[in-house]
Amino acid sequence: MTTTVSQENQVAHNRRVLANKGDVFSSFNVEDFAVPHGRDEEWKFAPLRKLRGLHNGTAGDPVAANISVDTAGREGVAVDVVKRGDSRLGRAGVPTDRVAAQAFSGFSEATVVTFEKNSASTEPVVINVEGPGEDSVAYGHIVIDVESHAEAVCVLNYRGSGTFADNVEFVVGDGARLAVVTMINWNNDAVHGSAHHAKIGRDATLRHTVATFGGELVRVVPRVAFTAPGGDADLLGVYFADAGQYFENRLLVDHAVPNCRSNVMYKGALQGEPNVAHREARTAWVGDVLIRAEAAGTDTYELNRNLLLTEGARADAVPNLEIETGEIAGAGHAATVGRFDEDQLFYLLSRGIPELAARRLVVRGFFSEVINQIPVESVRAKLEELVDEELNTAGF
């Protein structure tokens, strides 16, 4: 699985003008990647000093990852723990940055969850990832394989402390349907770098949600590739950053075949502490959608909205559309960063609702557009609870 190149060749590859957003260097071997710097486009927002060596090989010796899967009462689901080199690993994608490659080079065992052909699992299979603990580092690898014409629902829970990096693969077979929710609710001292690789088959459907509420630094990089016509992907995200936290979502949807659809919608809120060193709340969202010349009939849209609740909060939003054919059904993008909608607030106040309650209603309504699309009721309830907890922290 290793692509062997020299550091010099890799650096030269990074510096030349790429043909498109999808033409990036990839390798399973961490040594094939140069150490990233803040001037690099893909790392320009991230505070590299907070990555605890995940990006430059100084993170220290890893401990074993603590990953468990709850399949109780679910038929047609198999769970296997495998070693590196197993043929089921690496099918959905190859690491495209050094942190993801470090995770692949560093894990000891991978977890493969397979939903058998034609099976239907409407209750979620829950995958729990526990942090390695304070001052410890661990690497993980998870594969969710939904075979042809199967239906599956998964929830990934990240919690605890420590430094963790992983790759998560989603292989969605022809005619299959997968709804997956990634709940990132680390303790405030955790650092997490995660690469998501999704491969979508003919007439297959992926509903992919990332919810980030905990951790000192969390960077999630989803990459979605359509492999045959008829694919359909929704990428949803919610995040709520507090003082001292940095959350980044950097995604690519690669339309390489005709007649596929994608929709991206991420919403985030931030509350920092003004004029206090290292207590700013920061987020970055970079959404790349590539429509290749062969992808006639593509229909795509991406949206990112950010709500700044206090001073000392900064959100960067960068939507990118790259279109190589004019034969598409539709394409568009939008991104905003701003404070409360004063018209909404005025309307609620005019109806006799106290200001504090009105502000809470505005924030809840802001997130509800995304949360209401999540197909798991228990997850929707948990996210609403987490939003309320964040608002309580802010004194709303």
Side-chain angles (χ1 to χ4, degrees):
M1 289 186 183
T2 299
T3 302
T4 303
V5 298
S6 68
Q7 284 270 339
E8 292 79 8
N9 287 342
Q10 194 270 324
V11 173
H13 183 283
N14 286 352
R15 288 178 177 172
R16 79 170 188 258
V17 177
L18 299 176
N20 55 49
K21 292 285 186 179
D23 180 24
V24 295
F25 178 81
S26 61
S27 174
F28 292 105
N29 186 359
V30 65
E31 299 302 329
D32 288 342
F33 288 87
V35 174
H37 298 281
R39 63 180 178 273
D40 298 333
E41 173 61 30
E42 64 269 32
W43 295 100
K44 68 179 184 180
F45 296 118
L48 295 176
R49 67 187 183 280
K50 290 187 176 183
L51 277 172
R52 299 179 185 165
L54 290 176
H55 65 303
N56 61 14
T58 63
D61 294 331
V63 300
N66 186 0
I67 300 173
S68 61
V69 184
D70 180 6
T71 61
R74 280 63 162 183
E75 296 183 357
V77 184
V79 180
D80 297 297
V81 177
V82 303
K83 300 292 185 180
R84 186 180 292 100
D86 189 281
S87 62
R88 288 168 288 183
L89 307 185
R91 290 175 296 154
V94 182
T96 59
D97 65 50
R98 188 177 170 96
V99 172
Q102 176 66 73
F104 190 88
S105 298
F107 76 84
S108 57
E109 294 180 329
T111 301
V112 180
V113 182
T114 304
F115 294 85
E116 297 174 1
K117 181 179 179 180
N118 297 320
S119 65
S121 178
T122 56
E123 291 297 316
V125 168
V126 180
I127 304 172
N128 292 313
V129 181
E130 297 286 345
E134 188 177 357
D135 299 326
S136 295
V137 60
Y139 302 112
H141 195 99
I142 298 170
V143 177
I144 297 175
D145 185 0
V146 187
E147 295 182 342
S148 62
H149 301 285
E151 296 187 15
V153 181
C154 285
V155 177
L156 279 70
N157 285 322
Y158 292 90
R159 58 200 182 193
S161 299
T163 303
F164 188 75
D166 66 346
N167 289 272
V168 185
E169 299 186 55
F170 308 100
V171 182
V172 190
D174 293 347
R177 300 176 64 89
L178 170 63
V180 59
V181 183
T182 301
M183 298 279 290
I184 302 175
N185 196 23
W186 298 106
N187 295 346
N188 287 336
D189 64 338
V191 169
H192 182 199
S194 189
H196 289 194
H197 314 272
K199 181 180 180 182
I200 302 177
R202 182 181 298 272
D203 299 324
T205 300
L206 172 66
R207 300 288 180 262
H208 178 277
T209 304
V210 178
T212 309
F213 283 80
E216 179 182 353
L217 183 152
V218 177
R219 186 176 190 264
V220 183
V221 184
R223 296 176 67 88
V224 176
F226 294 97
T227 63
D232 191 312
D234 280 323
L235 278 74
L236 306 174
V238 293
Y239 48 92
F240 207 130
D242 290 325
Q245 292 181 318
Y246 174 83
F247 298 156
E248 178 173 337
N249 293 278
R250 178 179 290 266
L251 57 94
L252 169 70
V253 181
D254 190 346
H255 286 269
V257 295
N259 302 319
C260 292
R261 170 197 167 275
S262 66
N263 182 68
V264 178
M265 181 166 57
Y266 275 63
K267 288 192 171 185
L270 300 84
Q271 51 190 13
E273 295 181 12
N275 305 317
V276 179
H278 309 300
R279 297 296 291 169
E280 182 182 49
R282 285 200 58 192
T283 64
W285 180 89
V286 180
D288 291 324
V289 175
L290 168 63
I291 305 174
R292 297 179 186 261
E294 303 83 4
T298 292
D299 186 6
T300 183
Y301 192 81
E302 61 174 347
L303 170 71
N304 175 232
R305 301 214 184 281
N306 299 276
L307 188 59
L308 306 182
L309 301 179
T310 67
E311 299 295 335
R314 172 182 167 181
D316 292 287
V318 186
N320 296 304
L321 260 177
E322 188 171 348
I323 305 173
E324 297 179 347
T325 175
E327 302 297 323
I328 61 174
H333 62 68
T336 60
V337 178
R339 300 192 179 278
F340 275 102
D341 186 321
E342 295 299 331
D343 290 338
Q344 292 181 358
L345 194 58
F346 176 78
Y347 175 83
L348 294 172
L349 293 174
S350 69
R351 294 300 184 270
I353 298 174
E355 182 175 355
L356 190 61
R359 289 183 178 275
R360 293 180 72 99
L361 286 172
V362 170
V363 177
R364 288 173 179 165
F366 173 77
F367 281 115
S368 65
E369 185 179 8
V370 179
I371 292 175
N372 288 342
Q373 295 188 45
I374 296 172
V376 184
E377 182 178 355
S378 60
V379 171
R380 293 196 300 269
K382 179 61 177 178
L383 289 177
E384 290 171 352
E385 177 185 322
L386 289 173
V387 170
D388 282 342
E389 289 177 3
E390 296 284 355
L391 293 174
N392 290 336
T393 300
F396 277 77

